[in-house]
């Protein structure tokens, strides 16, 4: 079966504002995010991509635009099932204020039980995203062969949920994973099991440097031991 290249969208205006964007319209890449997207064609230059699949949200489409400009023959497909989690009433709110919500501890420690008010559950988010990947694996293999490689641009929580499934991890453990903006995660699917080849690879080790807030509260109002809901903004 094919190799899936999962790309998280570049850094967005919501990431730098500390806002949980969700599916809020009008969220675009910031200056750094645009630069990250511009570097993507070079990072993927050695890969013979058979197709490109994207979340319908603007920040994902913007992230793939330089790659599509560099490879005009590459077909682009929009897949609603890899859109951002529907955070419902949490969408558009500051992460710092959401950290005081009782539901946040459930999101962090028991996400399989978390359902966002007016939105969807994290179980449903994972199920639709994994179904989408499995369907695209079959389609790409049928059209391009079992050794094909394709790229999919999505969102932090979606990518973490897909990786958890590939690793056979319970969803309650997926907050232990991390994917920075415009990072590349690669999964090779086979008949018997998937293999995780890369996780959150940015080609830049700056994201490993200690943060100023490493011993206390971070810019989103959480602590260094909490996962960034929605994915976080990456290195400064």
């Amino acid at each position: 079966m094919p190799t899936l290249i999962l790309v998280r969208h570049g850094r967005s205006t919501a990431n730098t504002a500390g806002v949980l964007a969700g599916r809020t319209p009008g969220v675009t890449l910031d200056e750094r995010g645009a630069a990250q997207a511009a570097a993507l064609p070079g990072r993927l230059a050695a890969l013979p991509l058979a197709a490109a699949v994207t979340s319908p949200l603007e920040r994902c489409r913007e992230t793939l635009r330089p790659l599509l400009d560099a490879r005009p023959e590459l077909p682009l497909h929009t897949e609603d099932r890899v859109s951002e989690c529907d955070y419902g009433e949490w969408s558009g709110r500051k992460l710092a204020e959401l950290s005081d919500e009782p539901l946040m501890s459930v999101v962090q420690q028991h996400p399989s039980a978390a359902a966002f008010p007016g939105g969807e559950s994290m179980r449903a988010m994972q199920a639709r995203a994994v179904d989408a990947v499995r369907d695209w694996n079959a389609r790409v293999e049928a059209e391009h062969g079992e050794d094909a490689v394709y790229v999919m641009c999505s969102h932090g929580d979606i990518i973490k949920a897909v990786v958890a499934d590939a690793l056979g991890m319970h969803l309650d453990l997926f907050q232990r994973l991390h994917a920075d903006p415009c990072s590349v995660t690669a999964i090779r699917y086979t008949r018997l099991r998937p293999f995780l080849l890369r996780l959150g690879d940015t080609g830049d080790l700056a994201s490993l440097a200690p943060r100023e807030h490493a011993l206390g509260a971070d810019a989103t109002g959480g602590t260094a031991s909490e996962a960034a809901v929605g994915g976080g903004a990456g290195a400064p």
Side-chain angles (χ1 to χ4, degrees):
M1 296 182 73
T3 296
L4 169 61
I5 307 299
L6 279 164
V7 176
R8 186 183 165 202
H9 62 78
R11 196 174 75 176
S12 73
T13 52
N15 293 145
T16 47
V19 169
L20 186 62
R23 300 178 180 180
T24 305
V27 176
T28 60
L29 300 184
D30 67 6
E31 185 175 353
R32 183 186 177 111
Q36 291 170 332
L40 191 60
R43 294 171 62 201
L44 301 181
L47 301 181
L49 299 175
V53 182
T54 184
S55 156
L57 297 182
E58 188 173 359
R59 53 194 183 273
C60 287
R61 303 182 72 88
E62 282 185 319
T63 299
L64 286 186
R65 192 167 298 145
L67 178 64
L68 298 172
D69 289 343
R71 302 196 194 193
E73 77 287 354
L74 189 63
L76 178 66
H77 308 274
T78 300
E79 173 56 76
D80 290 342
R81 291 176 294 176
V82 297
S83 187
E84 180 64 284
C85 183
D86 183 355
Y87 296 115
E89 295 171 15
W90 279 27
S91 300
R93 292 179 61 187
K94 287 279 190 180
L95 286 161
E97 68 180 48
L98 289 172
S99 66
D100 294 329
E101 294 280 354
L103 178 61
M104 182 59 85
S105 61
V106 181
V107 171
Q108 292 291 329
Q109 300 176 46
H110 190 22
S112 65
F116 296 97
E120 70 179 332
S121 69
M122 301 196 90
R123 295 189 318 280
M125 174 198 74
Q126 182 185 45
R128 63 171 166 83
V130 170
D131 283 348
V133 166
R134 297 291 182 170
D135 289 348
W136 276 102
N137 285 347
R139 176 172 173 176
V140 170
E141 181 178 9
E143 295 179 2
H144 302 280
E146 62 181 13
D147 294 326
V149 181
Y150 72 107
V151 64
M152 177 180 287
C153 189
S154 188
H155 308 267
D157 282 349
I158 296 290
I159 291 170
K160 288 163 54 178
V162 170
V163 170
D165 171 77
L167 292 176
M169 290 172 55
H170 196 282
L171 184 62
D172 283 346
L173 301 179
F174 101 128
Q175 297 290 28
R176 302 182 183 193
L177 304 172
H178 185 73
D180 271 337
C182 223
S183 62
V184 170
T185 293
I187 305 170
R188 178 178 294 132
Y189 287 87
T190 74
R191 186 173 63 87
L192 297 180
R193 63 178 66 86
F195 293 89
L196 180 63
L197 307 179
R198 296 285 189 280
L199 175 62
D201 189 339
T202 63
D204 177 1
L205 298 181
S207 62
L208 300 180
R211 305 288 206 275
E212 291 182 3
H213 59 262
L215 298 179
D218 66 17
T220 67
T223 66
S225 64
E226 291 183 345
V229 180

